Amino acid sequence: MKKAKHPTSNIQHPTHNDDRRTYNRDSGVAWILREGDTKERKYDLEERLLEFASAIIDLSEILPNSRAGSHVAGQILRSGTSPYPNHGEAEDAESREDFIHKLKVCLKELRETRRWARLIGRKNWAADDPTLLFVLKESDELIRIFFASIQTAQRNAVAQNRRQPVRPRYPSVEAV
């Protein structure tokens, strides 16, 4: 089956495993992990989202104290800290549809955060600050994770619906 080109910007681009950036909140330093390094990569999504939200707070604090800087700081603060609690809501979803919806909210907020971070970079408001590099890299990775999770959950929902036979409904004996 031939895959058609996706007409929107929702296309996910591959990352290179040999150039992974990690952010240390305590020192405020981003470092590059290369293959063969002894540092372990984080796979705990909750911890990654918490670290990401913390970095967003740090980034918003270094933006200029101007009308535009305050506006962008407020916007990235809202969108960048939102995925952490929304992921918690997804973990306690009431249904599969609710779970997928909450994951989509996280994805939407991460995409918005990436846009604000790109604007900050374009304006050179955080020039040479490793926090911005971390936010840009981590937002890309988190977007890929949530995008794939949503696709998997949707595929699983379709597969489950196909497995469940449609049962005819008959009136109860008491209704007769």
Side-chain angles (χ1 to χ4, degrees), residues 63-155:
L63 295 181
N65 192 14
S66 65
R67 185 174 178 189
S70 295
H71 171 72
V72 173
Q75 293 289 358
I76 198 167
L77 195 56
R78 280 186 285 281
S79 66
T81 57
S82 172
Y84 177 62
N86 279 312
H87 177 260
E89 290 289 320
E91 288 179 333
D92 197 28
E94 296 175 6
S95 66
R96 186 183 304 266
E97 292 77 22
D98 188 38
F99 174 75
I100 292 169
H101 173 72
K102 286 176 168 57
L103 289 184
K104 285 181 177 181
V105 170
C106 291
L107 178 61
K108 176 179 162 270
E109 296 294 336
L110 287 164
R111 285 183 171 147
E112 180 180 345
T113 302
R114 181 177 57 185
R115 294 283 179 116
W116 287 117
R118 290 184 65 212
L119 178 61
I120 291 168
R122 175 67 56 95
K123 294 299 294 175
N124 288 320
W125 284 345
D128 302 324
D129 192 299
T131 307
L132 178 61
L133 294 174
F134 170 76
V135 166
L136 288 167
K137 180 77 171 170
E138 188 70 356
S139 63
D140 282 342
E141 289 184 17
L142 290 169
I143 287 168
R144 286 180 181 84
I145 289 167
F146 278 93
F147 184 82
S149 297
I150 291 165
Q151 285 186 321
T152 300
Q154 288 174 332
R155 258 193 320 271

